[in-house]
Amino acid sequence: MKRNTVRQIDKPVKKGEVYELDIDRLGEAAEGVGRIKGFTIFVPGALPHERVSAIITDVRKSFARARLKEIIEPSPDRIEPACPIYAECGGCQLQHLSYDAQLNMKRETVIGAMQHIGKLNVSEGDSSDGVAVLPVIGAEDPWAYRNKMQFPAGRENGKAVIGCFRKGSHHIVDTEKCLIQSSGNNQILKVMHQAISKFRIPVYDEDKHSGILRHVVGREGRDGALMLVLVTYKEYIPREKELVAFLRHRLPKLVSIQQNVQTYHNNVILGRATRVLWGKETMMARLGEFIFHVSARSFFQVNTAQAERLYETALSYAGLMGNETVIDAYCGTGTITLYLARRCREAYGIEVVHPAIADAKKNAKQNNIHNVHFIAGDATIEMPRLYNKGVRPDVIVVDPPRAGCTKKVLETFAAMKPNRIVYVSCNPMTLARDIAIMQGFGYHADKIQPVDMFPQTSHVETVVLLSKLKSSKKIEVDLDISELDLTRAEAKATYAEIKQYVLDKFGLKVSQLYVAQVKREFGLIERINYNVGDGKAKVPQVTPEKKDAIIDALKHFKMIE
């Protein structure tokens, strides 16, 4: 009998060897991308139009990774990084590239995603020949823009440190001043270094799961007001009253000091329990003409100036005349919703995170906006309910997480038949995928506006206007909104939706097995599992942490009380 053999494909590079290559473009993580005999090589630190020598560090089936050894021919866009720890720190990726070149690179990233993933014909401007990807809206000042910091605390070489993680690791680079953070957050960073030393606060050891202080979270709001959140592994803080007095004295603009307890052994920054040590529960922040309540757990755009440009773009694309009904499907604390509500007849904001909805309602009251309704729930469940109550949105606005929208969410949008959909995205890849899906549902991307929300990093935010295709070009898709309104408890959510909810809200990955175990505890009907083996194998059991998260999901989907 002839044996099947696996054919070994010779690769043009070997690990540990040095090669010269030309860099063609930047990858998604801002690493240089070149080729050797057609084989892709990723070289962090290299820029397009450079010739470099690099040491191969890892060889895979279709690509290799390398470490930059020498820049033989530098790019004309290469500059000296302003930050003294840039080479070590993983917080920024593009300080060695001029700002104009950063903006060009980000536009090329969006264009590439639209062409290769979305399969769209991209034009250079407003044109009927294709989708227009407009020049990136850049920042007036690409430095000191972040109004929120969240730096891990730990120990390196026997010394307590606070800062960003080193590139590709969980080792912390001690940071005295971060050049993209606001001045207020840098003051917090400086004072917390002093506090750790003065009060001998034990910092967290993620290998031994010991110590107390895990993260330092700072926010700067209106008129320089500061909020400080100490994320701790234990409920106890040594010399708490003295620490609070010290922080208030050293940081006169503090309006809130809070403690968040995070006991789980994962990479999620915030835990569930938060208590106020001193001051107010929320901080006030301004965005455009609006004032917002921001709590310790609230999502709020970290770049205020660019967020205003982003929201003005979204508002412009919505094309509101004053008599429309608008749904904001991932409303967070209601920032975009309030922008929309001022220009339309009625607005609805939907958000799965209940504390965010509580903040959104406060924000509407604070800004004297009375034509907005905030709903805590999943858009795929709440939007059909609104439709069945007679709500007919003229415009839907969506700003989802990096993973984009599920197909069920997109089906729900299409079934409600709005005239326009405004899609705000922080991930060009998932955005392009979702645009392609929406085209199948009869919606066409008219124009695409990238916005640089995060200068010096590889990230780019994008606003897209989706309009109904003309009847001659429309792909007929039969969608019935009533079919999307699930009522049976066991049909409230699929395993995939429960797993996605847990990942989005808690940052935890749970298996279908774990979901089934928890559902069985609550008497929800399970299909018989025919793949049970001989009964001798040990079946993994859901951990308490993941069990709590799954129970939260079942309650959210109204599968249990």
Side-chain angles (χ1 to χ4, degrees):
M1 183 181 291
K2 186 177 180 180
R3 293 183 180 179
N4 291 326
T5 58
V6 178
R7 181 171 174 263
Q8 298 294 326
I9 301 174
D10 291 333
K11 302 188 175 60
V13 297
K14 292 183 179 180
K15 184 176 179 180
E17 295 292 322
V18 178
Y19 298 87
E20 288 189 10
L21 70 157
D22 295 316
I23 303 299
D24 304 317
R25 60 184 177 87
L26 289 180
E28 187 179 353
E31 68 276 76
V33 182
R35 291 178 180 274
I36 295 177
K37 296 182 180 179
F39 193 71
T40 301
I41 314 291
F42 293 98
V43 188
L47 293 175
H49 314 300
E50 291 188 330
R51 183 162 183 81
V52 304
S53 67
I55 304 170
I56 303 298
T57 57
D58 184 27
V59 181
R60 302 293 180 91
K61 183 177 180 180
S62 58
F63 67 91
R65 295 189 179 93
R67 184 174 72 253
L68 181 63
K69 183 175 185 290
E70 182 185 359
I71 301 168
I72 300 169
E73 296 176 12
S75 163
D77 296 316
R78 178 175 285 277
I79 61 174
E80 189 68 25
C83 179
I85 58 172
Y86 174 66
E88 306 170 69
C89 178
C92 298
Q93 301 86 42
L94 293 176
Q95 283 194 27
H96 60 303
L97 183 63
S98 71
Y99 189 56
D100 285 344
Q102 289 183 34
L103 298 180
N104 291 334
M105 180 275 290
K106 292 182 182 187
R107 182 168 182 263
E108 289 301 318
T109 297
V110 175
I111 290 174
M114 296 305 141
Q115 290 175 331
H116 302 303
I117 298 175
K119 307 300 181 184
L120 299 179
N121 179 26
V122 176
S123 67
E124 289 300 315
D126 290 306
S127 169
S128 59
D129 296 333
V131 182
V133 177
L134 303 174
V136 181
I137 298 176
E140 290 183 9
D141 184 357
W143 301 100
Y145 61 84
R146 287 191 63 96
N147 59 46
K148 180 184 179 183
M149 73 169 187
Q150 41 192 31
F151 284 170
R155 189 168 292 278
E156 297 289 336
N157 300 319
K159 176 188 174 185
V161 296
I162 312 170
C164 286
F165 286 120
R166 194 179 302 273
K167 292 178 181 178
S169 79
H170 268 214
H171 293 287
I172 300 170
V173 180
D174 199 23
T175 307
E176 296 293 333
K177 179 181 180 181
C178 176
L179 298 186
I180 62 172
Q181 286 291 343
S182 69
S183 60
N185 284 336
N186 276 319
Q187 289 172 29
I188 289 176
L189 186 61
K190 178 181 178 180
V191 171
M192 279 306 303
H193 274 95
Q194 298 168 355
I196 288 173
S197 175
K198 180 178 178 65
F199 296 100
R200 298 182 180 179
I201 302 172
V203 292
Y204 183 62
D205 185 320
E206 68 174 15
D207 294 323
K208 298 178 181 178
H209 300 299
S210 62
I212 293 179
L213 185 64
R214 294 183 69 152
H215 277 82
V216 175
V217 178
R219 288 183 183 267
E220 182 169 355
R222 183 178 63 168
D223 300 325
L226 299 177
M227 173 185 285
L228 170 58
V229 183
L230 305 174
V231 183
T232 62
Y233 181 59
K234 299 176 182 178
E235 294 184 5
Y236 167 72
I237 298 179
R239 300 167 65 183
E240 180 184 304
K241 290 184 178 179
E242 294 176 75
L243 173 62
V244 168
F246 173 82
L247 294 172
R248 290 179 61 190
H249 175 69
R250 294 297 180 94
L251 297 166
K253 289 196 173 183
L254 266 180
V255 297
S256 178
I257 305 174
Q258 301 188 37
Q259 178 192 12
N260 177 272
V261 182
Q262 161 58 307
T263 60
Y264 295 138
H265 300 166
N266 58 27
N267 295 328
V268 178
I269 293 174
L270 294 177
R272 300 186 204 177
T274 304
R275 69 183 179 106
V276 177
L277 302 181
W278 172 83
K280 302 175 182 178
E281 194 171 311
T282 61
M283 177 188 70
M284 306 307 292
R286 179 181 291 277
L287 196 60
E289 60 183 302
F290 302 103
I291 301 295
F292 293 93
H293 286 268
V294 180
S295 65
R297 296 180 62 89
S298 291
F299 170 79
F300 191 77
Q301 291 285 4
V302 301
N303 187 336
T304 306
Q306 288 299 90
E308 291 177 5
R309 294 178 174 88
L310 179 78
Y311 292 164
E312 289 295 339
T313 301
L315 183 62
S316 171
Y317 282 12
L320 302 177
M321 303 299 292
N323 60 346
E324 296 87 357
T325 297
V326 181
I327 294 178
D328 182 1
Y330 291 82
C331 71
T333 56
T335 47
I336 295 181
T337 325
L338 298 190
Y339 267 77
L340 298 165
R342 281 273 171 92
R343 306 288 180 86
C344 69
R345 180 176 61 83
E346 195 171 30
Y348 293 84
I350 304 171
E351 172 59 51
V352 73
V353 180
H354 288 241
I357 286 294
D359 285 341
K361 290 178 179 178
K362 290 180 185 176
N363 293 331
K365 185 176 181 180
Q366 174 74 33
N367 290 280
N368 296 313
I369 295 179
H370 307 291
N371 63 330
V372 62
H373 312 277
F374 287 110
I375 302 168
D378 188 309
T380 57
I381 296 173
E382 300 302 335
M383 289 178 72
R385 287 178 180 169
L386 289 174
Y387 189 91
N388 290 334
K389 290 178 181 178
V391 176
R392 300 293 184 268
D394 301 285
V395 178
I396 291 175
V397 176
V398 55
D399 184 4
R402 285 189 64 79
C405 297
T406 64
K407 190 172 182 181
K408 185 177 178 183
V409 168
L410 299 176
E411 287 174 347
T412 304
F413 295 164
M416 297 190 86
K417 300 179 180 179
N419 296 321
R420 294 175 297 283
I421 298 172
V422 180
Y423 195 133
V424 181
S425 171
C426 59
N427 186 340
M429 311 306 163
T430 55
L431 171 64
R433 177 203 66 199
D434 290 352
I435 288 175
I437 294 172
M438 288 307 299
Q439 186 149 327
F441 292 148
Y443 285 85
H444 172 263
D446 287 341
K447 49 186 174 180
I448 300 171
Q449 177 63 74
V451 181
D452 190 22
M453 294 285 289
F454 312 102
Q456 317 307 330
T457 79
S458 58
H459 303 294
V460 60
E461 203 91 1
T462 311
V463 187
V464 180
L465 172 60
L466 295 161
S467 302
K468 284 183 180 178
L469 285 165
K470 294 179 181 179
S471 58
S472 61
K473 298 182 180 179
K474 186 178 294 185
I475 301 171
E476 292 298 330
V477 180
D478 185 20
L479 291 172
D480 184 353
I481 194 73
S482 63
E483 294 178 358
L484 299 176
D485 187 14
L486 305 181
T487 54
R488 294 185 300 117
E490 61 270 29
K492 285 286 184 184
T494 63
Y495 281 99
E497 289 165 340
I498 292 170
K499 289 161 65 177
Q500 188 64 48
Y501 174 90
V502 171
L503 181 62
D504 288 345
K505 185 170 181 181
F506 300 103
L508 299 173
K509 291 185 178 180
V510 295
S511 65
Q512 184 166 318
L513 171 65
Y514 287 169
V515 176
Q517 289 173 0
V518 177
K519 287 178 70 177
R520 192 175 295 115
E521 277 193 32
F522 285 88
L524 298 177
I525 297 173
E526 290 290 328
R527 287 174 289 182
I528 297 172
N529 180 9
Y530 293 100
N531 188 28
V532 294
D534 57 8
K536 296 179 182 179
K538 186 176 180 181
V539 179
Q541 296 299 305
V542 61
T543 63
E545 173 190 12
K546 292 185 176 181
K547 180 178 178 180
D548 287 347
I550 293 168
I551 290 172
D552 186 281
L554 297 181
K555 288 180 178 178
H556 163 72
F557 289 114
K558 297 181 173 58
M559 299 172 74
I560 61 175
E561 296 297 329

